[in-house]
Amino acid sequence: MAALSADSPAVARILAAVRAVPRGQVAGYGQIARRAGLPRRARLVARVLAGNADPALPWHRILRSDGRIAFPPGSPGFREQVRRLRAEGVAVENGRVRMPRADTDLDAALWGPDRA
DNA sequence: GCGCTGACGCGAT
DNA sequence: CATCGCGCCAGCG
């Protein structure tokens, strides 16, 4: 059967975290894992997405922590992801996306919102 | 049971 | 800012 237990609570949380990413926005694998309550499981997130069968799942909004597309440049998955992101208005340059910093909140807390 | 591989992450160079 | 190397976890031969 499924390599990954689709009914596993961990997997369910991961999928939920992925679906929680708003349209036109992106998130990192590690970020998703963290939101799912599974720190250090970024690779697990990747594996879950690889095995997903839900066309409604916004898997294309998931990128590496540095904003880079996880697929090898030029590969089918790569092009498809770029295509979907651009369709949502996300600027993709050279296979990468400007990430709004995972810790903007912390930065604001330390330096102040008007510091920028 | 062991070792390789991968849609990862982060610090060091 | 681009690369390299090492660490982490889970699936598969």
Side-chain angles (χ1 to χ4, degrees):
Chain A
M1 266 300 285
L4 290 170
S5 312
D7 55 326
S8 178
V11 174
R13 280 193 287 275
I14 291 174
L15 293 175
V18 173
R19 295 195 188 96
V21 180
R23 186 176 181 279
Q25 232 185 342
V26 295
Y29 292 88
Q31 247 182 313
I32 296 299
R34 201 157 168 145
R35 285 184 195 175
L38 302 166
R40 318 299 194 309
R41 303 289 186 279
R43 283 190 119 132
L44 177 60
V45 174
R47 208 159 261 292
V48 170
L49 292 186
N52 87 346
D54 186 355
L57 190 73
W59 58 269
H60 54 280
R61 293 176 196 157
I62 313 305
L63 310 168
R64 284 200 181 178
S65 60
D66 56 3
R68 267 264 199 205
I69 304 281
F71 287 104
S75 66
F78 180 92
R79 285 194 248 166
E80 181 62 24
Q81 186 161 15
V82 173
R83 185 180 162 80
R84 288 200 182 200
L85 286 173
R86 285 181 176 163
E88 294 186 354
V90 178
V92 184
E93 294 178 40
N94 200 7
R96 86 166 93 157
V97 176
R98 295 284 187 98
M99 282 270 269
R101 294 245 181 116
D103 53 2
T104 308
D105 292 323
L106 177 61
D107 198 291
L110 292 176
W111 288 88
D114 56 280
R115 183 62 170 154

